[in-house]
Amino acid sequence: MGKVSITLQNTDEGRMLVDAIVADNPAAEVSRMPALTKIDCEDRLSLRRETIEERIGRRYDLQELQLSLISLAGNVEEDDDSFTLAWSRGASPKHS
Amino acid sequence: MNAMPPLKQRKLSLKERYSHLTRGLGWETTYQPMDKVFPYVSYEGIKIHDWEAWEDPFRLTMDAYWKYQAEKERKLYAVIESFAQNNGHLNITDARYVNALKLFLTGVSPLEYSAHRGYAHVGRHFVGAGPRIACQMQAIDELRHAQTQMHTMSHYNKFFDGLHDARHMHDRVWYLSVPKSFFEDACSAGPFEFLTSISFSFEYVLTNLLFVPFMSGAAYNGDMATVTFGFSAQSDEARHMTLGLEIIKFMLEQDEGNVPIVQRWIDKWFWRGYRLLGLVSMMMDYMLPKRIMSWAEAWEMYFEQAGDALFEDLSRYGIRKPKYHEVASKEKHRLSHEVWSIFYNYTHAAAFHTWLPTEDEMKWLSAKYPDTFDKYYRPRFKCWSEMAAEGKRFYNPTLPQLCTTCQIPMGFTEPDDPTTICFRSAEYKGERYHFCSDGCKDIFCYEPEKYVQSWLPVHQIYMGNCGGAEVKDVLDWYHLNFGVDNFDYEGSPDQKLWDEWQAQKAANPV
Ligand SMILES: [Fe+2]
Ligand SMILES: [Fe+2]
């Protein structure tokens, strides 16, 4: 299949998002560059609201992602509890 | 932490909020027939059977949109102010870096404004409420990008040359016709082609190559203000990229007859966008005093790998990789060197300074381009630097032949031979037109009536439409200050000022 990808700013909030992604997606590969962090993952990658809230210590609306995002690759699927990037929308999700 | 209180139940879900936002915004008109209200929506041949099938994955509602955009602005302006208060321009690695900003302000920021106009236009002309809202939000974003970039870089304009009249230069200066004509080509197409060109081919497939290395490069070179406007703009970009992927899938899912039309647009706009990025390649390999990654590495990461995954995903609709993508990959080890050489040739007519890479920089280039740099480009730079040392700095006194499609001087080489310039030509209505590549030639041949109207800077100069017959007359007409904005960095007023600051710093250690 191919890798999906998300790039976040190296801000305080961005760092916690990276942490949360790594916790929820053990296959995620993290590359750190000046001012930004790029995360790639085979097939799909999810951000869960709960995991982020545990790290950030407050309620988090997933649409706040808009403030930290730099780039992404993959089809986006978003609801109130998770934000997912995946290739082949509709294909059955393989979970790690 | 399970102690977190649950979200209030009465709150509508994201999906519900979004459907309330779009509900009832599109309807069948009765006072006027639909085709008169939406005159551009069918002539391109794209068939849409159900506009309701459009899905916006971000489902951003207006209240959330304003809230997050306002927060982005507050953050950005806080940084811009502290940058100015703390004389942030003194912390950049080297004043050569500012030339990348000059290219950005004159070449890219005006495109943000064109994008604003383009999205406002197509946002009016789609029938479905989903794409109209997405385009209108993007139109506002793009205006914000143009404004914040000008505000941020205005600080540099207080000290450095070449930043004083970007809008005017964009409309007139020879190499700026490359980005300008690219965008005008898109804006003068129909609404579906516009979204394929800008939202998909440019923003989704190629924009990472512009913004990510440029902003990371700005951070690495001490330019916090530019990093911040870049990321502020780029945070909108993720939403724009998603619009690009959505429009493609929407067209492909609506009607099988759309597939060949979309494929042709993908082929065309991949090549147009790739040629435009030639300017970025030289920025990355030559203009950043501290480099992040080479053009070839960026191409591998952001096109070859990311593009493989994307086009594999789209293959289920019958879409293949863009035509001539393999030519772009063959060119990746020479593109930046060829483009920088063109600018070195014509530095007397450019609004930014050029230079030859230092020995250390050439070492980096040899390491990044082991198969090409030492063989083809190092000897050329060595020759030019010897000529300069003898007081015979090489300038090209003849105006270059331009490619009719991309408008870049014909300096690219054959896909399989880096020592032979690539020339293609085609005849149309008794006139001969010239191209830098098969990609550019194909684009012309499919729509010759469009491209015979190209405003080619060199032709215009020879026709007497650009202020006069002498280089100085033309530069005047460009609003370029001769002897200040142009020529080598070595000996420029920018360099003099920077060296004075460095001397002061050394004399007054903090
Ligand atoms: Fe933009
Ligand atoms: Fe061309």
Side-chain angles (χ1 to χ4, degrees):
Chain A
M1 229 14 290
K3 285 175 181 169
V4 296
S5 171
I6 188 167
T7 306
L8 297 160
Q9 299 180 35
N10 288 349
T11 52
D12 242 20
E13 210 161 290
R15 268 187 290 274
M16 288 185 258
L17 293 170
V18 171
D19 254 23
I21 294 172
V22 172
D24 283 338
N25 306 270
E29 299 155 29
V30 179
S31 343
R32 292 175 208 277
M33 290 180 237
L36 60 89
T37 301
K38 183 174 190 286
I39 305 173
D40 299 281
C41 198
E42 203 62 34
D43 289 350
R44 60 187 282 124
L45 178 149
S46 280
L47 275 89
R48 289 174 48 247
R49 185 174 54 80
E50 265 189 2
T51 319
I52 298 168
E53 286 178 347
E54 280 167 16
R55 279 158 182 76
I56 218 160
R58 63 171 174 85
R59 280 234 207 97
Y60 187 82
D61 183 330
L62 281 171
Q63 293 206 321
E64 287 180 54
L65 258 184
Q66 307 271 342
L67 299 170
S68 306
L69 263 182
I70 291 174
S71 183
L72 45 79
N75 295 305
V76 175
E77 196 45 66
E78 185 180 11
D79 61 27
D80 292 289
D81 299 315
S82 66
F83 176 95
T84 301
L85 290 167
W87 288 121
S88 285
R89 181 165 61 185
S92 59
K94 273 184 285 176
H95 234 290
S96 39
Chain B
M1 230 184 287
N2 295 327
M4 206 67 65
L7 287 173
K8 283 182 222 126
Q9 282 312 307
R10 60 180 177 78
K11 203 176 147 195
L12 292 173
S13 75
L14 190 59
K15 279 182 186 164
E16 286 167 326
R17 273 181 285 151
Y18 184 74
S19 72
H20 278 285
L21 171 72
T22 51
R23 188 179 56 191
L25 276 183
W27 64 87
E28 286 285 320
T29 56
T30 51
Y31 298 168
Q32 289 288 330
M34 286 292 272
D35 60 342
K36 282 214 172 135
V37 179
F38 298 102
Y40 301 128
V41 86
S42 55
Y43 83 95
E44 297 173 278
I46 293 291
K47 291 191 183 65
I48 304 298
H49 305 288
D50 177 17
W51 283 97
E52 296 300 306
W54 174 274
E55 270 193 65
D56 187 333
F58 277 110
R59 298 190 184 88
L60 197 61
T61 53
M62 287 319 291
D63 57 335
Y65 176 76
W66 293 124
K67 184 173 114 190
Y68 294 129
Q69 297 306 96
E71 181 149 354
K72 289 176 190 177
E73 294 282 273
R74 273 195 297 272
K75 279 184 164 176
L76 173 60
Y77 280 88
V79 174
I80 294 176
E81 274 170 23
S82 73
F83 188 80
Q85 282 163 357
N86 293 301
N87 288 319
H89 58 280
L90 296 176
N91 297 328
I92 56 173
T93 41
D94 177 348
R96 287 183 305 164
Y97 165 76
V98 179
N99 292 288
L101 296 181
K102 298 176 191 180
L103 188 58
F104 197 94
L105 184 70
T106 54
V108 181
S109 302
L111 298 186
E112 303 276 17
Y113 186 71
S114 301
H116 157 66
R117 296 181 61 190
Y119 282 97
H121 172 70
V122 299
R124 159 65 182 81
H125 286 287
F126 283 119
V127 177
R132 288 174 67 170
I133 287 177
C135 289
Q136 285 168 11
M137 281 180 182
Q138 182 160 352
I140 302 168
D141 294 340
E142 301 295 0
L143 187 58
R144 181 176 95 83
H145 298 174
Q147 289 173 336
T148 53
Q149 290 169 18
M150 285 183 253
H151 281 160
T152 310
M153 285 184 271
S154 67
H155 179 76
Y156 286 92
N157 181 45
K158 293 176 193 161
F159 308 98
F160 297 97
D161 299 316
L163 293 152
H164 54 280
D165 209 352
R167 178 70 240 181
H168 179 92
M169 289 183 190
H170 187 73
D171 289 332
R172 296 191 178 191
V173 176
W174 58 279
Y175 54 91
L176 299 175
S177 81
V178 175
K180 180 183 165 74
S181 62
F182 169 90
F183 232 90
E184 288 181 349
D185 189 354
C187 288
S188 55
F192 288 105
E193 183 178 348
F194 176 79
L195 284 203
T196 306
S197 64
I198 305 303
S199 298
F200 179 74
S201 298
F202 200 67
E203 309 227 56
Y204 192 89
V205 183
L206 300 171
T207 198
N208 278 322
L209 284 152
L210 170 62
F211 269 89
V212 177
F214 187 81
M215 295 312 146
S216 217
Y220 209 29
N221 286 281
D223 181 6
M224 286 326 293
T226 298
V227 180
T228 313
F229 88 61
F231 285 167
S232 192
Q234 194 68 24
S235 66
D236 299 341
E237 223 62 46
R239 181 157 33 80
H240 301 172
M241 292 166 77
T242 308
L243 170 61
L245 192 51
E246 251 353 269
I247 187 73
I248 289 291
K249 288 190 295 190
F250 181 63
M251 288 189 284
L252 297 172
E253 280 166 11
Q254 284 288 313
D255 197 293
E256 215 176 323
N258 294 343
V259 176
I261 303 174
V262 171
Q263 181 71 58
R264 193 179 56 72
W265 286 338
I266 291 177
D267 292 347
K268 168 181 171 182
W269 288 100
F270 164 76
W271 191 258
R272 293 286 270 123
Y274 163 67
R275 271 290 178 250
L276 176 59
L277 290 177
L279 293 171
V280 178
S281 75
M282 78 166 181
M283 193 276 295
M284 290 178 69
D285 287 343
Y286 287 87
M287 300 178 79
L288 296 180
K290 276 175 84 177
R291 293 145 164 88
I292 303 295
M293 59 168 82
S294 68
W295 165 259
E297 289 166 332
W299 186 253
E300 285 158 12
M301 175 185 294
Y302 288 112
F303 183 76
E304 292 176 4
Q305 288 158 27
D308 269 354
L310 167 68
F311 285 100
E312 194 187 314
D313 194 61
L314 292 177
S315 66
R316 69 202 142 107
Y317 299 108
I319 291 292
R320 50 154 178 78
K321 275 191 178 175
K323 202 172 166 188
Y324 302 123
H325 71 89
E326 70 289 348
V327 176
S329 288
K330 280 181 187 171
E331 287 183 356
K332 71 187 171 194
H333 298 298
R334 46 186 137 117
L335 184 68
S336 64
H337 319 298
E338 292 177 351
V339 179
W340 185 245
S341 297
I342 293 173
F343 279 94
Y344 185 85
N345 270 241
Y346 292 109
T347 194
H348 48 296
F352 61 89
H353 303 300
T354 58
W355 53 87
L356 290 173
T358 63
E359 189 47 47
D360 270 357
E361 288 166 344
M362 289 206 278
K363 247 184 225 150
W364 183 88
L365 289 162
S366 303
K368 294 294 180 185
Y369 297 99
D371 300 331
T372 56
F373 188 76
D374 287 346
K375 197 164 164 196
Y376 306 114
Y377 311 109
R378 187 187 279 270
R380 180 188 295 174
F381 293 147
K382 193 168 165 269
C383 166
W384 281 342
S385 94
E386 285 164 7
M387 287 172 76
E390 290 163 23
K392 290 186 239 158
R393 200 276 191 203
F394 175 69
Y395 296 104
N396 195 327
T398 315
L399 301 187
Q401 183 176 45
L402 302 179
C403 169
T404 306
T405 304
C406 69
Q407 309 204 1
I408 298 175
M410 305 271 277
F412 298 114
T413 48
E414 283 290 345
D416 294 304
D417 178 8
T419 62
T420 305
I421 298 284
C422 181
F423 282 104
R424 300 290 181 270
S425 75
E427 219 176 277
Y428 183 69
K429 291 190 177 164
E431 293 274 350
R432 183 157 291 280
Y433 296 88
H434 301 274
F435 310 99
C436 71
S437 55
D438 292 317
C440 280
K441 182 184 165 183
D442 284 6
I443 292 167
F444 175 93
C445 289
Y446 192 81
E447 293 172 285
E449 284 298 334
K450 184 169 197 177
Y451 296 98
V452 294
Q453 302 171 63
S454 298
W455 193 92
L456 295 170
V458 169
H459 294 208
Q460 295 297 325
I461 291 170
Y462 281 136
M463 284 157 73
N465 294 332
C466 303
E470 299 298 322
V471 175
K472 272 192 172 172
D473 302 331
V474 176
L475 296 195
D476 249 7
W477 186 76
Y478 288 170
H479 288 191
L480 218 143
N481 298 315
F482 191 88
V484 175
D485 302 332
N486 58 347
F487 293 115
D488 281 334
Y489 174 71
E490 190 73 40
S492 68
D494 273 6
Q495 186 199 31
K496 191 167 169 277
L497 185 65
W498 180 254
D499 288 349
E500 279 167 20
W501 289 340
Q502 296 313 104
Q504 272 171 26
K505 232 193 214 170
N508 311 304
V510 197

